[in-house]
Amino acid sequence: MNGPAITLDIQDGVAWLTLARPEKRNSVDPAFALRLYELAEQCAADQDIRCVVLTGSGKFFCVGGDIDAFSAAGEAAEAAVGALARSFHAGIYRLATMEKPFVTAINGPAAGAGLSLAILGDIALAAASAHFTSAYSAVGLTPDGGASWWLPRLIGMRRAQEILFTNRPIGAEDAAAIGLVTRVVADDALRAEASAVATALANGPVRALARCRALLMESANTDFRVHLDREAASIAESAGAAEGREGVAAFLAKRSPQFA
């Protein structure tokens, strides 16, 4: 009997989600998509979880949709792929909007929906051996997982067009240089670096970081004056909250803040 498509391990306030289909290069099938949503909801709701990390098992991060499943659907492919994409998107959206920071530790190649998952992190750490490919148009498909929304915002329209239209592989160093990922880490240091980053975030002002996440998400589609009003409301709420009061007090006392 196969195990879960994604495993959950909680350590010191950090939830580690590990894509666990190495024999299928961590590709996305219906069980994977449902599990992603269920774990995203669990992480969002559990107040003891203060940061979430997503990584892959084996040599790959995620190669995207399970093409074998697409083929098996035959004449029902439109309905089957549509249902899979909507299920996958539920998990993507929850991870993008939960009120806690999200880190991706990209341990190997990421393609298609795997690219979408990789770039979803607030902090995206790429192993030196990782590389990134759109892959969609190579098999006559179009993006899912939010790739066509994130790519222009992260790297600009021209680069997004090239990535989606040509499927040019992008190495880890180039990905960092153009802003596709945050930075590159040696393969054997990826887990430790992701843990250090996640621990620092988990020990930080998580509720303020949640407000930062919301402001950044809203900024893409909000009028500037409206956004300024939202920033004003957000910083005021943060200043009045326990984190803000502790942060100010710690600054004045020249000590490290203790965020609960």
Side-chain angles (χ1 to χ4, degrees):
M1 183 176 181
N2 293 331
I6 307 171
T7 62
L8 169 64
D9 182 28
I10 303 172
Q11 303 173 13
D12 301 321
V14 177
W16 286 81
L17 304 181
T18 302
L19 309 181
R21 301 185 76 212
E23 74 287 353
K24 290 287 190 178
R25 298 182 295 173
N26 299 321
S27 57
V28 180
D29 69 356
F32 178 116
L34 178 60
R35 178 73 170 165
L36 183 70
Y37 173 69
E38 290 173 344
L39 290 178
E41 284 287 1
Q42 181 177 339
C43 290
D46 188 339
Q47 295 304 306
D48 292 331
I49 294 174
R50 295 176 58 84
C51 182
V52 180
V53 182
L54 178 71
T55 193
S57 61
K59 296 180 179 180
F60 292 83
F61 177 71
C62 174
V63 297
D66 188 335
I67 299 298
D68 290 339
F70 291 6
S71 176
E75 294 298 320
E78 181 173 350
V81 174
L84 176 59
R86 285 186 284 273
S87 178
F88 180 56
H89 288 173
I92 288 279
Y93 186 77
R94 198 69 190 94
L95 290 172
T97 58
M98 65 183 175
E99 295 184 340
K100 50 198 70 179
F102 182 50
V103 176
T104 49
I106 307 150
N107 59 296
L115 171 64
S116 300
L117 278 172
I119 64 178
L120 189 62
D122 301 311
I123 306 294
L125 304 174
S129 63
H131 58 80
F132 304 85
T133 316
S134 165
Y136 293 104
S137 63
V139 290
L141 300 177
T142 57
D144 66 348
S148 60
W149 194 91
W150 280 112
L151 284 172
R153 290 164 173 79
L154 291 172
I155 61 174
M157 182 62 78
R158 280 295 178 224
R159 289 192 176 110
Q161 289 168 319
E162 181 187 24
I163 286 173
L164 291 178
F165 292 7
T166 71
N167 301 304
R168 178 175 70 86
I170 300 169
E173 292 290 349
D174 285 346
I178 64 176
L180 191 65
V181 298
T182 306
R183 63 176 178 273
V184 180
V185 181
D187 285 27
D188 59 2
L190 180 65
R191 175 89 185 190
E193 181 63 15
S195 180
V197 169
T199 298
L201 292 171
N203 290 333
V206 170
R207 293 167 186 82
L209 295 178
R211 296 186 188 101
C212 289
R213 293 193 96 207
L215 286 169
L216 288 169
M217 286 290 286
E218 293 169 2
S219 68
N221 301 301
T222 306
D223 174 79
F224 184 49
R225 184 178 293 278
V226 171
H227 198 72
L228 287 173
D229 289 341
R230 291 182 180 175
E231 282 192 337
S234 181
I235 195 172
E237 184 179 1
S238 297
E243 287 180 345
R245 295 197 303 272
E246 166 60 11
V248 170
F251 178 83
L252 294 175
K254 295 181 171 59
R255 61 174 174 80
S256 296
Q258 299 297 313
F259 297 116

